C-alpha cells in the first residue's frame, strides 16, 4: 500500500509518498471516507508493472473530486505515487491499483489519500466465456445529472454499496452482472463497467450526460474500433437495444472486455473474434 500525504502547492512530491505494508493499520477510524463513503477513487489496471491509461484515470479522478467539492488532486504527486505502486506488483501478472482520496478526518479539512496495489486474483475467464446480465432499474431518470447534480451521478465516489447490492441481486437471479436502466428505460452502465454495443458497423455506448461514469476502457475501445474502420458513437440507447445488438460488452479497467451472453435470460449474439481483438488492444495499452 502507498500512503499519499497532502502535497501542498508544490513541494517535494517524492517525500509525500510513503510505502506501507499491506495489512498494517493506517486509516483513522474518524476518516469521512470510512464513516460516510465521502470520497472518490479510481481503479487502474497494471500490466507488466505499468499503469494503463494513466492520463485518463487522473483526469477522471480530478473530475470526480471537483463534483464532490474536494481540493483538486496534485497531478504530479499522484502520477508519481501510481508509478511506484504499479512497479511494486509482479511484472509477469496482471494487477490493479485502487487510488483513493477521501474528505479526511472530520474537522481537519485535509483529504486523506492512498493507493492499494494488488495482483489480479482471478484468471479473467469471463473475457472468453462472457457474462449473463440482468437489467435492473436504477431509479434515476436519464436527466438525473442535470436535474439533481447532488446525487453525484457520473462521479466515481466511494459509495458503491448500491452497486454491490445490485450485483448480489443479479446473482440471486442466476446471472453474473447487471445493466442498469434509467427509470425512463434507457441503458445506463453496469455497477463496475461501461456498456458497449455493436450495432452493424457502429460501436455505441450510452451518452455520459445521462448520469453514467465516463469510462477509460470505453475510450480505448473506441480508439481501437475507429482504427478498424468502425463508426463510434455515444447515444441514448433504449433497453430494447440490448436484445437487438450484434454484440454487447461490459468493459472496465482490470476485467477489460467481457462479452454479454444473456440479457434477462435471453441468449444474445457474441462476437468472439472482435472480443479477442479488443482485449488484445486493451492489454497492449501503454501508460
Ligand atoms: N461505470 C462504473 C459505474 C464503474 O464503476 C466503472 C469502473 O469501475 C466503469 C463504468 C468503467 O470504467 P473504467 O473503464 O475506467 O474502468
Amino acid at each position: 500500500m502507498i500512503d499519499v500525504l497532502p502535497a501542498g502547492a508544490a513541494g517535494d512530491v517524492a517525500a509525500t509518498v510513503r510505502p506501507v505494508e499491506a495489512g498494517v493499520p493506517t486509516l483513522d477510524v474518524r476518516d469521512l471516507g470510512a464513516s460516510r463513503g465521502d470520497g472518490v477513487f479510481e481503479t487502474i489496471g497494471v500490466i507488466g508493472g505499468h499503469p494503463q491509461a494513466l492520463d485518463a484515470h487522473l483526469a477522471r479522478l480530478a473530475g470526480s473530486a471537483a463534483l464532490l467539492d474536494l481540493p483538486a488532486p496534485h497531478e504530479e504527486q499522484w502520477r508519481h505515487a501510481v508509478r511506484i505502486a504499479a512497479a511494486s506488483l509482479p511484472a509477469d501478472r496482471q494487477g490493479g491499483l485502487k487510488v483513493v482520496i477521501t474528505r479526511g478526518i472530520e474537522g481537519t479539512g485535509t483529504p486523506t489519500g492512498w493507493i492499494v496495489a494488488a495482483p489480479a486474483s482471478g484468471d479473467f475467464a469471463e473475457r472468453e466465456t462472457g457474462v449473463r446480465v440482468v437489467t435492473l432499474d436504477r431509479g434515476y431518470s436519464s436527466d438525473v445529472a442535470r436535474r439533481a447534480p447532488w446525487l453525484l451521478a457520473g462521479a466515481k465516489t466511494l459509495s458503491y454499496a448500491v452497486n454491490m447490492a445490485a450485483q448480489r441481486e443479479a446473482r440471486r437471479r442466476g446471472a453474473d452482472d447487471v445493466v442498469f436502466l434509467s427509470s425512463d428505460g434507457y441503458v445506463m452502465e453496469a455497477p463496475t463497467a461501461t456498456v458497449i454495443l455493436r450495432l452493424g458497423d457502429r460501436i455505441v455506448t450510452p451518452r455520459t450526460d445521462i448520469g453514467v461514469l465516463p469510462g477509460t476502457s470505453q475510450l480505448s475501445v473506441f480508439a481501437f474500433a475507429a482504427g478498424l474502420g468502425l463508426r463510434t458513437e455515444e447515444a441514448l440507447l433504449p433497453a430494447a437495444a440490448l436484445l437487438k445488438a450484434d454484440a454487447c460488452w461490459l468493459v472496465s479497467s482490470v476485467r477489460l472486455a467481457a462479452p454479454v451472453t444473456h440479457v434477462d435470460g435471453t441468449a444474445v449474439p457474441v462476437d468472439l473474434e472482435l472480443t479477442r481483438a479488443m482485449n488484445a488492444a486493451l492489454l497492449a495499452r501503454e501508460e
Side-chain angles (χ1 to χ4, degrees), residues 15-49:
T16 64
V17 173
R18 190 168 57 105
V20 181
E21 271 308 305
V24 172
T26 34
L27 187 67
D28 190 305
V29 292
R30 297 166 298 171
D31 196 286
L32 289 164
S35 60
R36 292 201 199 277
D38 193 356
V40 297
F41 78 103
E42 282 296 314
T43 299
I44 304 178
V46 177
I47 309 282

PDB file of all heavy atoms in Angstrom, residues 15-49:
ATOM      1  N   ALA A  15       8.665  13.050  -1.326  1.00  0.00           N
ATOM      2  CA  ALA A  15       8.634  12.958   0.137  1.00  0.00           C
ATOM      3  C   ALA A  15       7.221  12.744   0.676  1.00  0.00           C
ATOM      4  O   ALA A  15       7.038  12.389   1.834  1.00  0.00           O
ATOM      5  CB  ALA A  15       9.230  14.236   0.740  1.00  0.00           C
ATOM      6  N   THR A  16       6.211  12.968  -0.182  1.00  0.00           N
ATOM      7  CA  THR A  16       4.826  12.809   0.286  1.00  0.00           C
ATOM      8  C   THR A  16       4.297  11.405   0.040  1.00  0.00           C
ATOM      9  O   THR A  16       3.162  11.102   0.366  1.00  0.00           O
ATOM     10  CB  THR A  16       3.900  13.799  -0.459  1.00  0.00           C
ATOM     11  OG1 THR A  16       3.910  13.463  -1.854  1.00  0.00           O
ATOM     12  CG2 THR A  16       4.326  15.231  -0.267  1.00  0.00           C
ATOM     13  N   VAL A  17       5.117  10.553  -0.565  1.00  0.00           N
ATOM     14  CA  VAL A  17       4.659   9.217  -0.942  1.00  0.00           C
ATOM     15  C   VAL A  17       5.403   8.195  -0.104  1.00  0.00           C
ATOM     16  O   VAL A  17       6.621   8.119  -0.146  1.00  0.00           O
ATOM     17  CB  VAL A  17       4.917   8.991  -2.454  1.00  0.00           C
ATOM     18  CG1 VAL A  17       4.613   7.570  -2.853  1.00  0.00           C
ATOM     19  CG2 VAL A  17       4.090   9.972  -3.269  1.00  0.00           C
ATOM     20  N   ARG A  18       4.634   7.412   0.675  1.00  0.00           N
ATOM     21  CA  ARG A  18       5.254   6.567   1.691  1.00  0.00           C
ATOM     22  C   ARG A  18       4.730   5.129   1.558  1.00  0.00           C
ATOM     23  O   ARG A  18       3.534   4.891   1.799  1.00  0.00           O
ATOM     24  CB  ARG A  18       4.837   7.139   3.058  1.00  0.00           C
ATOM     25  CG  ARG A  18       5.532   6.587   4.256  1.00  0.00           C
ATOM     26  CD  ARG A  18       5.206   7.480   5.462  1.00  0.00           C
ATOM     27  NE  ARG A  18       3.777   7.612   5.707  1.00  0.00           N
ATOM     28  CZ  ARG A  18       3.111   7.012   6.695  1.00  0.00           C
ATOM     29  NH1 ARG A  18       3.734   6.247   7.550  1.00  0.00           N
ATOM     30  NH2 ARG A  18       1.803   7.180   6.842  1.00  0.00           N
ATOM     31  N   PRO A  19       5.587   4.172   1.167  1.00  0.00           N
ATOM     32  CA  PRO A  19       5.106   2.782   1.102  1.00  0.00           C
ATOM     33  C   PRO A  19       4.799   2.245   2.501  1.00  0.00           C
ATOM     34  O   PRO A  19       5.545   2.525   3.447  1.00  0.00           O
ATOM     35  CB  PRO A  19       6.287   2.021   0.491  1.00  0.00           C
ATOM     36  CG  PRO A  19       7.168   3.064  -0.115  1.00  0.00           C
ATOM     37  CD  PRO A  19       6.971   4.303   0.704  1.00  0.00           C
ATOM     38  N   VAL A  20       3.709   1.527   2.636  1.00  0.00           N
ATOM     39  CA  VAL A  20       3.301   0.935   3.913  1.00  0.00           C
ATOM     40  C   VAL A  20       2.958  -0.525   3.627  1.00  0.00           C
ATOM     41  O   VAL A  20       2.349  -0.814   2.599  1.00  0.00           O
ATOM     42  CB  VAL A  20       2.016   1.633   4.456  1.00  0.00           C
ATOM     43  CG1 VAL A  20       1.602   1.050   5.794  1.00  0.00           C
ATOM     44  CG2 VAL A  20       2.213   3.133   4.563  1.00  0.00           C
ATOM     45  N   GLU A  21       3.337  -1.432   4.529  1.00  0.00           N
ATOM     46  CA  GLU A  21       2.982  -2.839   4.346  1.00  0.00           C
ATOM     47  C   GLU A  21       1.469  -2.984   4.324  1.00  0.00           C
ATOM     48  O   GLU A  21       0.776  -2.397   5.180  1.00  0.00           O
ATOM     49  CB  GLU A  21       3.512  -3.667   5.536  1.00  0.00           C
ATOM     50  CG  GLU A  21       4.914  -4.189   5.364  1.00  0.00           C
ATOM     51  CD  GLU A  21       5.119  -4.953   4.071  1.00  0.00           C
ATOM     52  OE1 GLU A  21       4.365  -5.912   3.813  1.00  0.00           O
ATOM     53  OE2 GLU A  21       6.027  -4.574   3.302  1.00  0.00           O
ATOM     54  N   ALA A  22       0.950  -3.753   3.372  1.00  0.00           N
ATOM     55  CA  ALA A  22      -0.492  -4.021   3.355  1.00  0.00           C
ATOM     56  C   ALA A  22      -0.848  -4.729   4.656  1.00  0.00           C
ATOM     57  O   ALA A  22      -0.090  -5.548   5.151  1.00  0.00           O
ATOM     58  CB  ALA A  22      -0.841  -4.890   2.163  1.00  0.00           C
ATOM     59  N   GLY A  23      -1.964  -4.402   5.237  1.00  0.00           N
ATOM     60  CA  GLY A  23      -2.386  -5.061   6.479  1.00  0.00           C
ATOM     61  C   GLY A  23      -1.998  -4.287   7.714  1.00  0.00           C
ATOM     62  O   GLY A  23      -2.542  -4.521   8.799  1.00  0.00           O
ATOM     63  N   VAL A  24      -1.061  -3.345   7.592  1.00  0.00           N
ATOM     64  CA  VAL A  24      -0.699  -2.511   8.749  1.00  0.00           C
ATOM     65  C   VAL A  24      -1.788  -1.432   8.894  1.00  0.00           C
ATOM     66  O   VAL A  24      -2.092  -0.738   7.931  1.00  0.00           O
ATOM     67  CB  VAL A  24       0.675  -1.836   8.529  1.00  0.00           C
ATOM     68  CG1 VAL A  24       0.969  -0.813   9.619  1.00  0.00           C
ATOM     69  CG2 VAL A  24       1.768  -2.874   8.465  1.00  0.00           C
ATOM     70  N   PRO A  25      -2.401  -1.327  10.084  1.00  0.00           N
ATOM     71  CA  PRO A  25      -3.489  -0.343  10.230  1.00  0.00           C
ATOM     72  C   PRO A  25      -2.967   1.066   9.949  1.00  0.00           C
ATOM     73  O   PRO A  25      -1.975   1.493  10.533  1.00  0.00           O
ATOM     74  CB  PRO A  25      -3.918  -0.483  11.692  1.00  0.00           C
ATOM     75  CG  PRO A  25      -3.385  -1.800  12.139  1.00  0.00           C
ATOM     76  CD  PRO A  25      -2.151  -2.051  11.325  1.00  0.00           C
ATOM     77  N   THR A  26      -3.624   1.778   9.025  1.00  0.00           N
ATOM     78  CA  THR A  26      -3.165   3.129   8.677  1.00  0.00           C
ATOM     79  C   THR A  26      -4.310   4.130   8.622  1.00  0.00           C
ATOM     80  O   THR A  26      -4.076   5.321   8.744  1.00  0.00           O
ATOM     81  CB  THR A  26      -2.468   3.150   7.301  1.00  0.00           C
ATOM     82  OG1 THR A  26      -3.104   2.206   6.459  1.00  0.00           O
ATOM     83  CG2 THR A  26      -1.003   2.824   7.403  1.00  0.00           C
ATOM     84  N   LEU A  27      -5.529   3.658   8.450  1.00  0.00           N
ATOM     85  CA  LEU A  27      -6.646   4.585   8.278  1.00  0.00           C
ATOM     86  C   LEU A  27      -7.258   4.940   9.625  1.00  0.00           C
ATOM     87  O   LEU A  27      -7.612   4.057  10.404  1.00  0.00           O
ATOM     88  CB  LEU A  27      -7.709   3.947   7.370  1.00  0.00           C
ATOM     89  CG  LEU A  27      -8.850   4.869   6.964  1.00  0.00           C
ATOM     90  CD1 LEU A  27      -8.341   5.991   6.061  1.00  0.00           C
ATOM     91  CD2 LEU A  27      -9.939   4.077   6.249  1.00  0.00           C
ATOM     92  N   ASP A  28      -7.365   6.223   9.911  1.00  0.00           N
ATOM     93  CA  ASP A  28      -8.003   6.697  11.137  1.00  0.00           C
ATOM     94  C   ASP A  28      -9.509   6.418  11.044  1.00  0.00           C
ATOM     95  O   ASP A  28     -10.139   6.746  10.029  1.00  0.00           O
ATOM     96  CB  ASP A  28      -7.746   8.214  11.258  1.00  0.00           C
ATOM     97  CG  ASP A  28      -8.161   8.768  12.598  1.00  0.00           C
ATOM     98  OD1 ASP A  28      -9.337   8.578  12.980  1.00  0.00           O
ATOM     99  OD2 ASP A  28      -7.314   9.401  13.263  1.00  0.00           O
ATOM    100  N   VAL A  29     -10.061   5.824  12.096  1.00  0.00           N
ATOM    101  CA  VAL A  29     -11.481   5.440  12.035  1.00  0.00           C
ATOM    102  C   VAL A  29     -12.410   6.650  11.943  1.00  0.00           C
ATOM    103  O   VAL A  29     -13.589   6.511  11.628  1.00  0.00           O
ATOM    104  CB  VAL A  29     -11.906   4.562  13.238  1.00  0.00           C
ATOM    105  CG1 VAL A  29     -11.242   3.203  13.166  1.00  0.00           C
ATOM    106  CG2 VAL A  29     -11.617   5.253  14.567  1.00  0.00           C
ATOM    107  N   ARG A  30     -11.868   7.851  12.215  1.00  0.00           N
ATOM    108  CA  ARG A  30     -12.710   9.043  12.084  1.00  0.00           C
ATOM    109  C   ARG A  30     -12.726   9.577  10.655  1.00  0.00           C
ATOM    110  O   ARG A  30     -13.351  10.598  10.380  1.00  0.00           O
ATOM    111  CB  ARG A  30     -12.192  10.139  13.028  1.00  0.00           C
ATOM    112  CG  ARG A  30     -12.261   9.763  14.501  1.00  0.00           C
ATOM    113  CD  ARG A  30     -11.439  10.719  15.328  1.00  0.00           C
ATOM    114  NE  ARG A  30     -10.027  10.676  14.947  1.00  0.00           N
ATOM    115  CZ  ARG A  30      -9.100  11.526  15.394  1.00  0.00           C
ATOM    116  NH1 ARG A  30      -9.422  12.498  16.229  1.00  0.00           N
ATOM    117  NH2 ARG A  30      -7.837  11.415  14.998  1.00  0.00           N
ATOM    118  N   ASP A  31     -12.048   8.886   9.757  1.00  0.00           N
ATOM    119  CA  ASP A  31     -11.965   9.381   8.382  1.00  0.00           C
ATOM    120  C   ASP A  31     -13.341   9.328   7.714  1.00  0.00           C
ATOM    121  O   ASP A  31     -14.040   8.306   7.767  1.00  0.00           O
ATOM    122  CB  ASP A  31     -10.964   8.527   7.587  1.00  0.00           C
ATOM    123  CG  ASP A  31     -10.554   9.207   6.298  1.00  0.00           C
ATOM    124  OD1 ASP A  31     -11.375   9.230   5.351  1.00  0.00           O
ATOM    125  OD2 ASP A  31      -9.429   9.733   6.247  1.00  0.00           O
ATOM    126  N   LEU A  32     -13.710  10.424   7.050  1.00  0.00           N
ATOM    127  CA  LEU A  32     -15.038  10.508   6.435  1.00  0.00           C
ATOM    128  C   LEU A  32     -15.188   9.566   5.245  1.00  0.00           C
ATOM    129  O   LEU A  32     -16.312   9.264   4.832  1.00  0.00           O
ATOM    130  CB  LEU A  32     -15.328  11.959   6.019  1.00  0.00           C
ATOM    131  CG  LEU A  32     -15.572  12.884   7.222  1.00  0.00           C
ATOM    132  CD1 LEU A  32     -15.460  14.352   6.807  1.00  0.00           C
ATOM    133  CD2 LEU A  32     -16.932  12.604   7.850  1.00  0.00           C
ATOM    134  N   GLY A  33     -14.072   9.093   4.717  1.00  0.00           N
ATOM    135  CA  GLY A  33     -14.157   8.067   3.684  1.00  0.00           C
ATOM    136  C   GLY A  33     -14.723   6.785   4.262  1.00  0.00           C
ATOM    137  O   GLY A  33     -15.539   6.102   3.624  1.00  0.00           O
ATOM    138  N   ALA A  34     -14.312   6.463   5.506  1.00  0.00           N
ATOM    139  CA  ALA A  34     -14.773   5.232   6.146  1.00  0.00           C
ATOM    140  C   ALA A  34     -16.176   5.395   6.726  1.00  0.00           C
ATOM    141  O   ALA A  34     -17.008   4.496   6.631  1.00  0.00           O
ATOM    142  CB  ALA A  34     -13.792   4.827   7.250  1.00  0.00           C
ATOM    143  N   SER A  35     -16.451   6.544   7.346  1.00  0.00           N
ATOM    144  CA  SER A  35     -17.724   6.674   8.055  1.00  0.00           C
ATOM    145  C   SER A  35     -18.876   7.110   7.161  1.00  0.00           C
ATOM    146  O   SER A  35     -20.035   6.833   7.457  1.00  0.00           O
ATOM    147  CB  SER A  35     -17.581   7.658   9.221  1.00  0.00           C
ATOM    148  OG  SER A  35     -17.188   8.928   8.744  1.00  0.00           O
ATOM    149  N   ARG A  36     -18.575   7.802   6.064  1.00  0.00           N
ATOM    150  CA  ARG A  36     -19.669   8.272   5.194  1.00  0.00           C
ATOM    151  C   ARG A  36     -19.491   7.903   3.718  1.00  0.00           C
ATOM    152  O   ARG A  36     -20.335   8.283   2.902  1.00  0.00           O
ATOM    153  CB  ARG A  36     -19.785   9.799   5.273  1.00  0.00           C
ATOM    154  CG  ARG A  36     -20.247  10.345   6.598  1.00  0.00           C
ATOM    155  CD  ARG A  36     -20.811  11.747   6.379  1.00  0.00           C
ATOM    156  NE  ARG A  36     -20.874  12.541   7.574  1.00  0.00           N
ATOM    157  CZ  ARG A  36     -21.854  12.486   8.467  1.00  0.00           C
ATOM    158  NH1 ARG A  36     -22.842  11.625   8.298  1.00  0.00           N
ATOM    159  NH2 ARG A  36     -21.852  13.280   9.512  1.00  0.00           N
ATOM    160  N   GLY A  37     -18.426   7.212   3.385  1.00  0.00           N
ATOM    161  CA  GLY A  37     -18.167   6.935   1.966  1.00  0.00           C
ATOM    162  C   GLY A  37     -17.946   8.229   1.200  1.00  0.00           C
ATOM    163  O   GLY A  37     -18.255   8.334   0.010  1.00  0.00           O
ATOM    164  N   ASP A  38     -17.423   9.239   1.921  1.00  0.00           N
ATOM    165  CA  ASP A  38     -17.292  10.574   1.333  1.00  0.00           C
ATOM    166  C   ASP A  38     -15.893  10.729   0.728  1.00  0.00           C
ATOM    167  O   ASP A  38     -14.940  11.122   1.411  1.00  0.00           O
ATOM    168  CB  ASP A  38     -17.534  11.625   2.426  1.00  0.00           C
ATOM    169  CG  ASP A  38     -17.736  13.013   1.850  1.00  0.00           C
ATOM    170  OD1 ASP A  38     -17.606  13.166   0.621  1.00  0.00           O
ATOM    171  OD2 ASP A  38     -18.015  13.931   2.645  1.00  0.00           O
ATOM    172  N   GLY A  39     -15.798  10.365  -0.539  1.00  0.00           N
ATOM    173  CA  GLY A  39     -14.513  10.432  -1.212  1.00  0.00           C
ATOM    174  C   GLY A  39     -14.646   9.889  -2.625  1.00  0.00           C
ATOM    175  O   GLY A  39     -15.745   9.544  -3.065  1.00  0.00           O
ATOM    176  N   VAL A  40     -13.520   9.832  -3.314  1.00  0.00           N
ATOM    177  CA  VAL A  40     -13.527   9.394  -4.710  1.00  0.00           C
ATOM    178  C   VAL A  40     -12.427   8.358  -4.909  1.00  0.00           C
ATOM    179  O   VAL A  40     -11.507   8.262  -4.098  1.00  0.00           O
ATOM    180  CB  VAL A  40     -13.299  10.594  -5.660  1.00  0.00           C
ATOM    181  CG1 VAL A  40     -14.427  11.598  -5.536  1.00  0.00           C
ATOM    182  CG2 VAL A  40     -11.951  11.281  -5.388  1.00  0.00           C
ATOM    183  N   PHE A  41     -12.545   7.588  -5.983  1.00  0.00           N
ATOM    184  CA  PHE A  41     -11.499   6.610  -6.233  1.00  0.00           C
ATOM    185  C   PHE A  41     -11.353   6.331  -7.722  1.00  0.00           C
ATOM    186  O   PHE A  41     -12.205   6.721  -8.522  1.00  0.00           O
ATOM    187  CB  PHE A  41     -11.748   5.310  -5.449  1.00  0.00           C
ATOM    188  CG  PHE A  41     -12.777   4.384  -6.035  1.00  0.00           C
ATOM    189  CD1 PHE A  41     -12.398   3.247  -6.727  1.00  0.00           C
ATOM    190  CD2 PHE A  41     -14.130   4.641  -5.893  1.00  0.00           C
ATOM    191  CE1 PHE A  41     -13.335   2.370  -7.271  1.00  0.00           C
ATOM    192  CE2 PHE A  41     -15.083   3.777  -6.431  1.00  0.00           C
ATOM    193  CZ  PHE A  41     -14.688   2.645  -7.115  1.00  0.00           C
ATOM    194  N   GLU A  42     -10.283   5.644  -8.046  1.00  0.00           N
ATOM    195  CA  GLU A  42     -10.031   5.136  -9.398  1.00  0.00           C
ATOM    196  C   GLU A  42      -9.498   3.717  -9.260  1.00  0.00           C
ATOM    197  O   GLU A  42      -8.741   3.432  -8.321  1.00  0.00           O
ATOM    198  CB  GLU A  42      -8.955   5.965 -10.121  1.00  0.00           C
ATOM    199  CG  GLU A  42      -9.429   7.266 -10.675  1.00  0.00           C
ATOM    200  CD  GLU A  42     -10.471   7.108 -11.769  1.00  0.00           C
ATOM    201  OE1 GLU A  42     -10.293   6.288 -12.673  1.00  0.00           O
ATOM    202  OE2 GLU A  42     -11.481   7.819 -11.698  1.00  0.00           O
ATOM    203  N   THR A  43      -9.870   2.855 -10.170  1.00  0.00           N
ATOM    204  CA  THR A  43      -9.226   1.546 -10.264  1.00  0.00           C
ATOM    205  C   THR A  43      -8.461   1.517 -11.577  1.00  0.00           C
ATOM    206  O   THR A  43      -9.043   1.726 -12.644  1.00  0.00           O
ATOM    207  CB  THR A  43     -10.268   0.412 -10.219  1.00  0.00           C
ATOM    208  OG1 THR A  43     -10.955   0.496  -8.966  1.00  0.00           O
ATOM    209  CG2 THR A  43      -9.589  -0.949 -10.316  1.00  0.00           C
ATOM    210  N   ILE A  44      -7.164   1.290 -11.488  1.00  0.00           N
ATOM    211  CA  ILE A  44      -6.284   1.367 -12.654  1.00  0.00           C
ATOM    212  C   ILE A  44      -5.685  -0.010 -12.912  1.00  0.00           C
ATOM    213  O   ILE A  44      -5.175  -0.651 -11.990  1.00  0.00           O
ATOM    214  CB  ILE A  44      -5.147   2.393 -12.400  1.00  0.00           C
ATOM    215  CG1 ILE A  44      -5.739   3.770 -12.030  1.00  0.00           C
ATOM    216  CG2 ILE A  44      -4.211   2.489 -13.602  1.00  0.00           C
ATOM    217  CD1 ILE A  44      -4.689   4.827 -11.716  1.00  0.00           C
ATOM    218  N   GLY A  45      -5.751  -0.472 -14.150  1.00  0.00           N
ATOM    219  CA  GLY A  45      -5.139  -1.757 -14.498  1.00  0.00           C
ATOM    220  C   GLY A  45      -3.620  -1.625 -14.563  1.00  0.00           C
ATOM    221  O   GLY A  45      -3.096  -0.562 -14.922  1.00  0.00           O
ATOM    222  N   VAL A  46      -2.935  -2.712 -14.192  1.00  0.00           N
ATOM    223  CA  VAL A  46      -1.464  -2.726 -14.261  1.00  0.00           C
ATOM    224  C   VAL A  46      -1.030  -3.939 -15.089  1.00  0.00           C
ATOM    225  O   VAL A  46      -1.439  -5.061 -14.811  1.00  0.00           O
ATOM    226  CB  VAL A  46      -0.835  -2.806 -12.850  1.00  0.00           C
ATOM    227  CG1 VAL A  46       0.689  -2.890 -12.947  1.00  0.00           C
ATOM    228  CG2 VAL A  46      -1.246  -1.614 -12.013  1.00  0.00           C
ATOM    229  N   ILE A  47      -0.251  -3.688 -16.115  1.00  0.00           N
ATOM    230  CA  ILE A  47       0.294  -4.764 -16.958  1.00  0.00           C
ATOM    231  C   ILE A  47       1.809  -4.586 -16.991  1.00  0.00           C
ATOM    232  O   ILE A  47       2.295  -3.496 -17.301  1.00  0.00           O
ATOM    233  CB  ILE A  47      -0.232  -4.669 -18.418  1.00  0.00           C
ATOM    234  CG1 ILE A  47      -1.760  -4.562 -18.471  1.00  0.00           C
ATOM    235  CG2 ILE A  47       0.287  -5.828 -19.269  1.00  0.00           C
ATOM    236  CD1 ILE A  47      -2.518  -5.831 -18.259  1.00  0.00           C
ATOM    237  N   GLY A  48       2.533  -5.644 -16.671  1.00  0.00           N
ATOM    238  CA  GLY A  48       3.997  -5.591 -16.732  1.00  0.00           C
ATOM    239  C   GLY A  48       4.584  -4.472 -15.866  1.00  0.00           C
ATOM    240  O   GLY A  48       5.586  -3.869 -16.230  1.00  0.00           O
ATOM    241  N   GLY A  49       3.942  -4.197 -14.739  1.00  0.00           N
ATOM    242  CA  GLY A  49       4.460  -3.176 -13.814  1.00  0.00           C
ATOM    243  C   GLY A  49       4.143  -1.740 -14.227  1.00  0.00           C
ATOM    244  O   GLY A  49       4.586  -0.795 -13.566  1.00  0.00           O
TER     245      GLY A  49
END
